[in-house]
Amino acid sequence: MHRDAPMMSDRSEDDGDTSILTATKPKTKRPPLYKVLLLNDDFTPMEFVVHVLERFFGLNHAQAFEIMLTVHKKGVAVVGVFSHEIAETKVAQVMDFARRHQHPLQCTMEKEE
């Protein structure tokens, strides 16, 4: 009985090593990230865009103002890069908030290259 015990534990250790190796392999690939974009329109007030950036993206007033100007001048700006779930949530929050305030502000997301 004493002689079999080490063999059994050796065998289970080998099995454990194999499962650990296969379990960690998929983790080497990072999940894709998504850019959240704010699009310009001719109707949403600049102050509202600044408020959205502060409220949903945690930017301070100066950062929010700077991004708002980029959206205004270039027509679009990246406001953050997130995992798919967070990006999707941010887009939904911004769109919902804009609609509730009757603004046509558009917020989208795209996969980061």
Side-chain angles (χ1 to χ4, degrees):
M1 188 163 147
H2 186 262
R3 184 182 285 169
D4 289 343
M7 285 176 75
M8 286 178 135
S9 68
D10 285 349
R11 201 175 304 135
S12 66
E13 279 178 33
D14 288 345
D15 291 347
D17 289 348
T18 308
S19 64
I20 287 169
L21 287 174
T22 55
T24 54
K25 269 186 182 172
K27 289 182 186 173
T28 56
K29 191 179 180 194
R30 272 191 24 226
L33 294 174
Y34 290 79
K35 296 185 279 193
V36 174
L37 308 163
L38 220 47
L39 309 177
N40 189 42
D41 64 75
D42 295 329
F43 306 101
T44 305
M46 292 179 172
E47 300 79 32
F48 184 80
V49 175
V50 170
H51 178 70
V52 162
L53 290 167
E54 291 171 342
R55 179 173 177 159
F56 297 106
F57 297 93
L59 302 175
N60 65 37
H61 189 76
Q63 292 168 322
F65 193 82
E66 204 59 43
I67 290 176
M68 176 276 296
L69 283 180
T70 302
V71 172
H72 183 68
K73 290 175 186 169
K74 297 190 176 182
V76 64
V78 175
V79 294
V81 179
F82 308 95
S83 69
H84 186 269
E85 294 76 18
I86 293 173
E88 211 171 43
T89 301
K90 298 263 185 210
V91 168
Q93 287 173 329
V94 170
M95 295 294 287
D96 181 57
F97 190 71
R99 296 306 154 264
R100 281 190 281 129
H101 289 84
Q102 280 116 36
H103 295 302
L105 183 65
Q106 293 293 307
C107 186
T108 62
M109 62 188 264
E110 64 182 40
K111 196 171 186 176
E112 194 177 46
E113 297 303 322

